[in-house]
Structures are given as C-alpha cells and as structure tokens.
Amino acid sequence: GAVVSQHPSWVICKSGTSVKIECRSLDFQATTMFWYRQFPKQSLMLMATSNEGSKATYEQGVEKDKFLINHASLTLSTLTVTSAHPEDSSFYICSAIPGVGYSNQPQHFGDGTRLSIL
Amino acid sequence: AQSVTQPDIHITVSEGASLELRCNYSYGATPYLFWYVQSPGQGLQLLLKYFSGDTLVQGIKGFEAEFKRSQSSFNLRKPSVHWSDAAEYFCAVGEGYNQGGKLIFGQGTELSVKP
C-alpha cells in the first residue's frame, strides 16, 4: 500500500520549453504532497509543500514563477518547470502523506523524474 | 534550528557483516525520526520510523534503529548485510503534521557491500 507514482520517469527537452511532472497517489488520498530536488550525490532539497485546493508553500530561494505547482485533487499534484534551462536539469522527487486533513503518517516517495535540458 | 547529521558519507562492509549507520539530530521537541533507503536513480523507500513508545523500532528488510534521546541519536543497524543492501541511506527528522509535516534530511550515507 501507499504507492506514489511519478510520470514521466525521464524527460529530455530543449532549453526554453516547459515540462510538467505528475505525482499521483495510487491507493490513498493525500491532502499534502511535497516536491524535492536532488543533485547528484547529494541529499534531497525541499522545494515546496503542495496542499490540495490551496496555493503551494515554497521554500526560501525557490522561484514560484519558475516552478509552478498545482494540487487539484487529493490524488494528483503537478510540478511544471517553466521555460526550462540547463541549470534546471536535476532529479525531481515527489512525496505524499496519506490522509485527508490531520495525518500522523510518514511521507511516501515516488520514483523520481530525471529532467535533462539541452 | 532543526538539523540532521550523518557523519559517515561512505561505508563499506563485507557481506554477512553487521552494519551500523549513524544519525544525530537537533530538534527542539520530541522528534519524528525516519530512515529511508534510495537505490540509484530511484525514489526513497521507508525503512522504519519512530514516533513514540518503544525506542527500539523494527523495520523492513531486517533493519532496526534505536532512539536515544540522551545522545540525540537514531542509529540504523542490521546484523547481517546482504549485497542487495548496497544503496544510499538517509536519516530524517520530521515535523508534526500540524507544523507542515516537512522532513529534514541528513546528507546521506552510501553503503557499499564487499562480496
């Protein structure tokens, strides 16, 4: 149980295009999802907290106009990297906390999306 | 400020040997503590968690961890390592849900297993 699916798993695109990454909770509902970025051989850096039906909360230093987050349902959050450039190339991982409203549950992670901008 | 420290960046153990990965945290309240494992190019899998109660917690794949409040530690152990355990291991401290449910990760420890 508690499966999180991320799509696509790998995307290569040209500089200047926008890329959308989907994060789905397959067998549970989640009010809260998270988006992380991970550089090679490094830990996860939290980018933003995504809350269903409300605006995402971004961490300091993360450009909200660059990384658009939409959490339109209790099973889907999307991250759109707008006008992507080579420096946006990275491994992006989402996670979800099972539960609607208060939930004393751990985060469950997707398998990540490797984004390469040429 | 909350923080998590994993002192060992890389550890190599022989298959069948015991393993201990260290984790120290700094957190003002009673922490929620986690260990996750990440294989190359993949997401994170939860090994075990500590919220409250018994300070020795059992996880999947034969792992266990012990919460020691006096030492601010949550070390991960396994009595006999298998080659398939080679991966990156992350310790994390979590805020309660009503504080956002965020996780603060350590830097990670890369485990290599010698045959």
Side-chain angles (χ1 to χ4, degrees), chain A residues 32 38 43 59 101 104 107 110-111, chain B residues 36 38 43 51 97 101-102 106:
Chain A
T32 303
Q38 186 179 31
S43 189
E59 295 299 301
N104 191 21
Q107 293 183 27
D111 280 338
Chain B
Y36 286 89
Q38 183 181 32
F51 283 177
Y97 183 82
K102 295 181 186 180

Side-chain angles (χ1 to χ4, degrees), chain B residues 66-110:
Chain B
E66 186 170 13
F67 170 57
K68 293 186 177 180
R69 184 187 299 275
S70 62
Q71 299 177 19
S72 296
S73 69
F74 189 57
N75 294 346
L76 181 72
R77 301 193 293 250
K78 186 170 184 177
S80 178
V81 169
H82 188 262
W83 63 267
S84 60
D85 293 324
E88 188 85 19
Y89 291 80
F90 291 97
C91 179
V93 61
E95 298 177 346
Y97 183 82
N98 59 358
Q99 292 155 17
K102 295 181 186 180
L103 287 177
I104 300 166
F105 285 92
Q107 302 92 319
T109 298
E110 183 180 4

Side-chain angles (χ1 to χ4, degrees), chain B residues 27-90:
Chain B
Y27 191 73
T30 300
Y32 293 173
L33 293 162
F34 307 84
W35 274 99
Y36 286 89
V37 60
Q38 183 181 32
S39 297
Q42 296 188 16
L44 277 67
Q45 181 183 25
L46 178 67
L47 287 176
L48 46 78
K49 64 183 185 292
Y50 171 78
F51 283 177
S52 64
D54 193 346
T55 56
L56 183 64
V57 293
Q58 302 296 322
I60 62 172
K61 303 184 179 185
F63 286 93
E64 67 176 26
E66 186 170 13
F67 170 57
K68 293 186 177 180
R69 184 187 299 275
S70 62
Q71 299 177 19
S72 296
S73 69
F74 189 57
N75 294 346
L76 181 72
R77 301 193 293 250
K78 186 170 184 177
S80 178
V81 169
H82 188 262
W83 63 267
S84 60
D85 293 324
E88 188 85 19
Y89 291 80
F90 291 97

Side-chain angles (χ1 to χ4, degrees), chain A residues 65-94:
Chain A
D65 294 332
K66 172 69 143 176
F67 299 100
L68 300 179
I69 291 172
N70 185 6
H71 194 155
S73 77
L74 288 170
T75 59
L76 174 64
S77 176
T78 59
L79 169 69
T80 301
V81 183
T82 62
S83 186
H85 289 93
E87 58 267 28
D88 299 322
S89 298
S90 193
F91 193 56
Y92 293 87
I93 308 177
C94 73

